[in-house]
Amino acid sequence: MLPRVGSSMPPPPNPAAYFPPPRVTLPSGLDILRTYSGAFVFLEILFGTVVWILVAATGVPLPLLQGWVMFVAVTAWFLSIVFLCVFLFSYANRIAINWNQTDFLFHGTTFVFYFGAFLLQAATTSLHHLPRKFNSTVQETLLSDHEYNISIAASIFAFATAICYGCSTALALRRWKL
């Protein structure tokens, strides 16, 4: 049943009017790189790049462990680049979400995954002395000396990247709760 022309029904609500404005306390554009948070995101991208290059350079002798390390490193690297681009190109001011909460959730989750990846990479490094094939007469270790050194470097950079994600999480929590 259609309302009459002179009816006193209110107009339908405009759904766009109910979205809250975006909550952003980080600057947009190149100013993001002048903040501690922007510097940590830059370091996350830099160290993350080094991690997955080093892990790939080991030849991945334990695909179950190092496959997860690669997945976490590449995914976190890509999402960190997207996150930085959102602020570099001022998309944060156009997308109506609570960016402080999103920042905390992203960095907190990524910190947990990256710390786990660091532990798996360190476990792979500690198994370097095990034989590559248990039934072989040739005593070839799981990691050669060169791969062992690369794996040590990958573990150190994975730890440094996890620390950067942890610092970003702490800064994001402080911004979100203020």
Side-chain angles (χ1 to χ4, degrees), residues 13 21 23 37 39 46 53 55 62-63 74-75 84-85 89 100 129 137 139 151-152 166:
R23 291 197 43 178
S37 294
L46 182 69
I53 289 172
V55 171
L62 293 171
V74 173
T75 303
L84 186 61
C85 286
F89 300 120
N100 296 327
H129 64 281
T137 58
Q139 293 298 326
S151 189
I152 290 172

Side-chain angles (χ1 to χ4, degrees), residues 132-151:
R132 190 174 292 263
K133 297 177 184 170
F134 286 108
N135 296 333
S136 175
T137 58
V138 179
Q139 293 298 326
E140 184 182 354
T141 59
L142 187 64
L143 295 171
S144 67
D145 289 338
H146 181 68
E147 288 177 329
Y148 176 63
N149 292 336
I150 292 173
S151 189

Side-chain angles (χ1 to χ4, degrees), residues 37-100:
S37 294
F40 277 121
V41 171
F42 180 76
L43 287 174
E44 292 161 8
I45 293 168
L46 182 69
F47 290 162
T49 303
V50 173
V51 167
W52 60 268
I53 289 172
L54 288 172
V55 171
T58 64
V60 190
L62 293 171
L64 184 62
L65 298 179
Q66 289 186 302
W68 179 254
V69 174
M70 286 293 286
F71 170 75
V72 169
V74 173
T75 303
W77 177 82
F78 176 74
L79 292 176
S80 292
I81 287 177
V82 169
F83 184 80
L84 186 61
C85 286
V86 163
F87 285 95
L88 277 176
F89 300 120
S90 301
Y91 289 126
N93 297 327
R94 299 178 197 161
I95 302 172
I97 62 172
N98 186 344
W99 281 104
N100 296 327

